[in-house]
Amino acid sequence: MWHRRAFVLGCVTCLCVAIGCGGEEPGASGNPAGPGRDAGTSGASRGTIGVSLMTLENPFFKVIGDNLTAEAKKHGYDTIVLDARDNATTQNAQIEDLIVRKVAAIVLSPVEAKAIVPALQKANAAGIPVITVDVPCFETGVEILTQIATDNFGGGQEAARAMIEVLGERGGKVVILHKSEAESCRERVRGFRDILDAHNQTAANPIAIVAEFESRGAKADGARAAEDALQSHPDLAGIFAINDPAALGAYASLEKAGKTQQVTLIGFDGQPEGKQAIKEGKIYADPIQFPEKMGIQAVESIVRHSKGEDVPKDQPIATYLYRQADAENDPDLK
């Protein structure tokens, strides 16, 4: 009898252990806790937020994804963060896959807004709220819950003011290293031109934008674009690069040509590598963005929408012009 009782007790114990180990359903990624929660977190998920970001090779977008995931976890959401690899076709397929997965919301930074209109319309038809971060979508025929982005036009204006700080009295030729397919970059360039046009109306020595070169927002392409700019305009006085990778690539070309003292370089973003370059005097200044705020505000907007609360259509985030003095007092830099 004693042996029989011990056997029954052992079976019950094993059954309890088995139930305790297998009590949570797998998340979308196959992680038992889901991609946005710790394994020890109790309670059912409120759903999954699908995220498609322009390129995770750019640290800026990784910061957005990391902060969005962390904030989503606080509110009980899982996340799927995807890398569109700067390819609109890839992003289109990612959005359609997220629709099939029946995600609670889709957050994206469009590679090319016009190209993903069909996928966004499918998301709208499925009743899935869509939020853009960093890069807005102004295409007709799609419904965007809210657009969370840097005030890129204002940031471009700040970049121009920084250029005027250096070249204001003597003037000179400047070029723009662009990424023209991105709406955010077009706004930066528009703001940059706006301030320089106003300055040149009264300036004794104008600051003339003599050309735009495609940099694709990448270091290697930025380097090639700067080389082309120097060959076309050996007396170049300034470069405005639409982000830090392009600016860092441009600096490499300036250094190779021995023209780091001749050409004033203005970037955009405020990534750690860009800030370090400002501290070292390689880049004069950056209008810095706050990608962590974008990720957090995206989740906050989803939560508000789920409660039936109104969400503003646009949520602009102002930039801050970051100079060498800021870098020297920045505890995060070496």
Side-chain angles (χ1 to χ4, degrees):
M1 179 66 70
W2 183 88
H3 289 292
R4 182 178 299 172
R5 288 177 180 172
F7 175 76
V8 171
L9 180 61
C11 290
V12 171
T13 302
C14 291
L15 179 61
C16 290
V17 170
I19 292 172
C21 290
E24 185 130 16
E25 294 183 4
S29 69
N31 180 341
R37 291 180 291 163
D38 290 333
T41 301
S42 61
S45 168
R46 295 182 64 180
T48 299
I49 300 172
V51 187
S52 175
L53 298 174
M54 186 180 289
T55 169
L56 293 179
E57 288 187 9
N58 186 332
F60 178 86
F61 291 104
K62 188 176 185 306
V63 172
I64 293 177
D66 288 348
N67 279 270
L68 189 152
T69 296
E71 187 67 17
K73 179 180 174 182
K74 294 177 185 177
H75 294 277
Y77 286 96
D78 294 332
T79 53
I80 301 171
V81 180
L82 304 171
D83 183 352
R85 300 181 182 276
D86 257 330
N87 188 301
T89 302
T90 298
Q91 188 166 61
N92 211 61
Q94 289 174 347
I95 295 168
E96 292 189 355
D97 181 60
L98 293 172
I99 295 169
V100 171
R101 288 171 179 259
K102 298 182 179 179
V103 295
I106 293 174
V107 179
L108 71 152
S109 51
V111 174
E112 187 179 342
K114 190 180 293 295
I116 59 171
V117 165
L120 295 184
Q121 289 174 333
K122 291 178 183 178
N124 292 158
I128 300 172
V130 177
I131 293 172
T132 61
V133 289
D134 184 54
V135 182
C137 174
F138 297 125
E139 299 300 318
T140 58
V142 297
E143 181 65 27
I144 306 296
L145 175 65
T146 186
Q147 314 235 37
I148 303 168
T150 295
D151 178 3
N152 287 294
F153 181 81
Q157 289 180 315
E158 285 193 330
R161 293 187 186 104
M163 191 70 77
I164 291 169
E165 285 178 11
V166 182
L167 303 181
E169 291 186 5
R170 57 189 171 95
K173 298 177 181 178
V174 301
V175 298
I176 296 168
L177 303 190
H178 210 333
K179 183 177 182 179
S180 60
E181 69 268 26
E183 177 65 29
S184 56
C185 297
R186 292 197 293 268
E187 282 294 290
R188 293 170 197 180
V189 171
R190 197 165 68 86
F192 187 77
R193 286 183 172 278
D194 178 72
I195 291 296
L196 286 191
D197 286 346
H199 169 78
N200 289 339
Q201 288 180 9
T202 58
N205 298 301
I207 300 172
I209 300 173
V210 293
E212 292 183 7
F213 293 84
E214 286 296 328
S215 72
R216 303 196 72 247
K219 191 177 289 188
D221 293 283
R224 284 191 288 269
E227 284 182 5
D228 292 342
L230 290 170
Q231 288 176 3
S232 301
H233 306 281
D235 56 344
L236 194 64
I239 294 175
F240 169 46
I242 51 80
N243 70 1
D244 280 340
L248 292 165
Y251 181 80
S253 292
L254 292 175
E255 191 172 42
K256 182 179 177 181
K259 295 194 174 184
T260 58
Q261 299 302 310
Q262 173 186 313
V263 181
T264 296
L265 180 57
I266 308 293
F268 202 111
D269 271 351
Q271 295 178 12
E273 194 177 0
K275 288 181 175 179
Q276 188 66 40
I278 291 172
K279 184 174 182 178
E280 295 169 4
K282 298 175 180 178
I283 298 174
Y284 177 73
D286 262 16
I288 63 171
Q289 305 188 81
F290 300 95
E292 64 282 354
K293 289 185 180 180
M294 296 182 195
I296 292 169
Q297 286 183 207
V299 176
E300 289 175 347
S301 298
I302 293 167
V303 172
R304 289 173 61 183
H305 179 70
S306 72
K307 295 178 179 178
E309 299 175 7
D310 290 335
V311 179
K313 284 292 184 183
D314 293 292
Q315 299 185 55
I317 300 173
T319 58
Y320 170 77
L321 190 59
Y322 185 97
R323 302 174 178 84
Q324 192 171 39
D326 297 295
E328 288 172 349
N329 293 302
D330 192 333
D332 293 331
L333 301 182
K334 57 186 177 183

